[in-house]
Amino acid sequence: VSVAGSLFVFAENGIWRISGGDSVFSATSYVAEKLSSNGCVSSDSVVMVQDSLYYWGEEAIYLVARNEFGIWQVQNISESKIQEFYRLIPLERKKSCSGVYDGYDRTVRWVYNTGKTTEVESKELRLSVPFGSFVPYSVPDNVGGLPKVISVGEVNPYTASDATFDVTVG
């Protein structure tokens, strides 16, 4: 993800920031800085809010942002709030997580439990950015377990329209 003149790389084994250092970024002049060993379990969980990034790791939800000195850092934002709740989410469900920022509500919305079975209802976890609070939701299934929420997307809250998306099974 490109933010504020830097390229952020989210991998299972850590988070890196690639920039030009003190000069302009180029193919021959760049600096790679490892920000954290706490990697990302789902590339779709990475959500950009202004100049900050949120993502799901195996053990926690993290925020990548500049501190008061302008230095990029990774912070565990679920630790003091929903850590036990988050740990109870199975890893396979975390890997299927899909997130988006809702600028109208100023919330980050992550949908998970998007497995291919009809046995488990879809779940959503919302983060209120101004308050730093989390709210879990469940999306009840209809008869036969369908339809099922499989992803989230950003739309203008003041626009009414129809959209068609191709879905590939398997």
Side-chain angles (χ1 to χ4, degrees):
V1 179
S2 176
V3 177
S6 297
L7 178 65
F8 290 85
V9 178
F10 292 83
E12 289 180 9
N13 61 345
I15 309 302
W16 286 264
R17 175 180 168 251
I18 303 171
S19 68
D22 293 332
S23 62
V24 178
F25 179 85
S26 73
T28 58
S29 174
Y30 63 88
V31 174
E33 170 188 12
K34 187 170 187 177
L35 298 178
S36 176
S37 295
N38 298 312
C40 180
V41 294
S42 169
S43 61
D44 287 338
S45 76
V46 179
V47 177
M48 185 166 60
V49 178
Q50 297 165 349
D51 281 347
S52 300
L53 299 161
Y54 295 86
Y55 73 94
W56 280 32
E58 191 169 332
E59 296 296 321
I61 299 174
Y62 298 96
L63 167 64
V64 180
R66 291 182 187 184
N67 64 16
E68 62 271 13
F69 305 109
I71 299 169
W72 289 96
Q73 65 181 19
V74 177
Q75 176 186 357
N76 179 338
I77 61 168
S78 60
E79 184 174 32
S80 63
K81 299 175 182 174
I82 60 161
Q83 193 62 49
E84 289 306 313
F85 174 85
Y86 187 77
R87 284 189 179 150
L88 293 174
I89 300 172
L91 182 58
E92 284 305 310
R93 300 302 182 212
K94 291 175 185 174
K95 288 181 177 181
S96 71
C97 173
S98 175
V100 69
Y101 177 64
D102 183 340
Y104 180 73
D105 287 336
R106 297 180 64 199
T107 59
V108 178
R109 302 174 68 177
W110 289 286
V111 173
Y112 62 100
N113 264 13
T114 58
K116 295 176 177 69
T117 66
T118 59
E119 301 163 6
V120 182
E121 64 186 3
S122 295
K123 304 278 187 181
E124 179 180 353
L125 185 61
R126 291 185 191 176
L127 167 65
S128 171
V129 173
F131 300 110
S133 60
F134 290 90
V135 179
Y137 288 91
S138 292
V139 181
D141 293 331
N142 290 328
V143 177
L146 298 172
K148 186 168 251 345
V149 178
I150 58 168
S151 185
V152 291
E154 185 177 0
V155 295
N156 185 334
Y158 303 109
T159 303
S161 66
D162 290 330
T164 304
F165 301 95
D166 294 330
V167 176
T168 304
V169 176

